[in-house]
Amino acid sequence: MKKTWKKLACALALALAFVAPQLAAPAEAADQPQRPILSVDGRGEANTQPDTATVAVGITTHADDAAKAQNDNAWVAGEIQKSITALGIAEKDIQTRNYSFRPTYRQDKGHENEINGYTVDNTVIVTVRDVKLTGKVIDAALSHGANEISSLDFSASDTRGVRKEALKNAIADARDKADVIAKGLGKRIVGIQNVSESTGYLETRRFGGNMMLAMAKDASATPVAAGSLSLSASVHIDFILSE
């Protein structure tokens, strides 16, 4: 019986030795003053050169006969494709996006429901992977029967580098602000408690159809300047200050 009590006493002593520090730790932590936190937002931006252009070419044909309207449109589309591939554009980068066929009606009074012809609208999307060829692609399309350049977009195929640069600039902006504020308060930055970030999308540059047609009419060769694309990023950092 005495041996049993001795075993129980030893077990209880070991349990108290383990639990006592755990109970004391929260109390000690509560006694320690929390270090001040400085919350700062930073914003950064980075630019990159576009390496891809997307041209939307519009082809509209009209005829009294439905088959002729369709055949005329197909012939023009074929001529445009041949002229563009001759510039070095791959066939896989020339795709039909929209195609519509519709009858047209007389507008004079008493004949409003009478069909007077047929119209075919066809939009061909051309992906230009050498932006220097963009103006030549537009000129080739217009000179071979296209009636419209509905849009022109410039984009970049790889955004990782510009995204990293924008984030670095945002972090540097946040740190600069934090250093100024901490110095003004007579304190130092001794650590970081929390960080969050938000990165935007690389915006494409878009030209409208009317602008492209005006440019094409005013010059023997359509002048196209790709320019640059920008991406912005923001960070929120909670800095720990010295006491």
Side-chain angles (χ1 to χ4, degrees):
M1 188 72 175
K2 289 182 179 181
K3 289 182 179 181
T4 302
W5 279 109
K6 285 182 179 180
K7 289 181 181 180
L8 289 174
C10 289
L12 182 59
L14 287 172
L16 289 174
F18 176 78
V19 173
Q22 305 298 323
L23 295 174
E28 292 175 1
D31 292 338
Q32 294 178 357
Q34 291 187 347
R35 288 182 172 179
I37 301 298
L38 173 61
S39 298
V40 178
D41 292 320
R43 182 176 174 80
E45 189 173 284
N47 298 313
T48 189
Q49 298 297 315
D51 57 16
T52 305
T54 304
V55 184
V57 178
I59 306 163
T60 301
T61 54
H62 180 81
D64 295 337
D65 180 72
K68 187 176 187 310
Q70 290 178 313
N71 291 335
D72 287 350
N73 197 284
W75 183 84
V76 172
E79 291 298 300
I80 291 173
Q81 181 169 345
K82 286 190 290 185
S83 69
I84 291 175
T85 54
L87 295 172
I89 306 299
E91 289 188 4
K92 67 180 180 64
D93 289 328
I94 305 173
Q95 299 179 350
T96 297
R97 178 68 54 85
N98 298 307
Y99 187 93
S100 67
F101 171 83
R102 66 182 186 280
T104 56
Y105 298 89
R106 293 175 58 175
Q107 299 297 316
D108 48 321
K109 189 174 180 180
H111 300 277
E112 292 85 356
N113 293 324
E114 295 181 15
I115 295 175
N116 65 354
Y118 299 87
T119 297
V120 177
D121 291 312
N122 183 8
T123 301
V124 176
I125 304 299
V126 183
T127 302
V128 185
R129 302 189 188 279
D130 181 357
V131 293
K132 295 178 182 178
L133 294 176
T134 305
K136 292 182 178 181
V137 168
I138 292 171
D139 292 337
L142 292 174
S143 63
H144 285 82
N147 338 77
E148 181 183 18
I149 303 297
S150 55
S151 66
L152 167 62
D153 295 279
F154 286 104
S155 60
S157 56
D158 187 1
T159 62
R160 290 173 296 180
V162 68
R163 190 179 301 275
K164 288 180 181 179
E165 185 179 352
L167 279 171
K168 287 180 181 178
N169 292 337
I171 293 170
D173 180 51
R175 181 62 194 238
D176 287 344
K177 292 177 181 177
D179 286 337
V180 171
I181 296 172
K183 186 176 180 180
L185 296 173
K187 296 183 179 297
R188 294 178 298 104
I189 295 174
V190 296
I192 294 175
Q193 185 184 63
N194 186 50
V195 179
S196 62
E197 64 86 21
S198 175
T199 308
Y201 294 94
L202 190 65
E203 298 179 359
T204 60
R205 292 186 67 230
R206 165 164 285 200
F207 294 87
N210 293 335
M211 181 184 296
M212 293 309 305
L213 285 177
M215 291 168 62
K217 290 178 180 178
D218 293 340
S220 56
T222 304
V224 177
S228 62
L229 307 175
S230 63
L231 182 145
S232 61
S234 60
V235 295
H236 178 87
I237 305 177
D238 296 326
F239 292 97
I240 302 173
L241 298 181
S242 60
E243 296 180 9

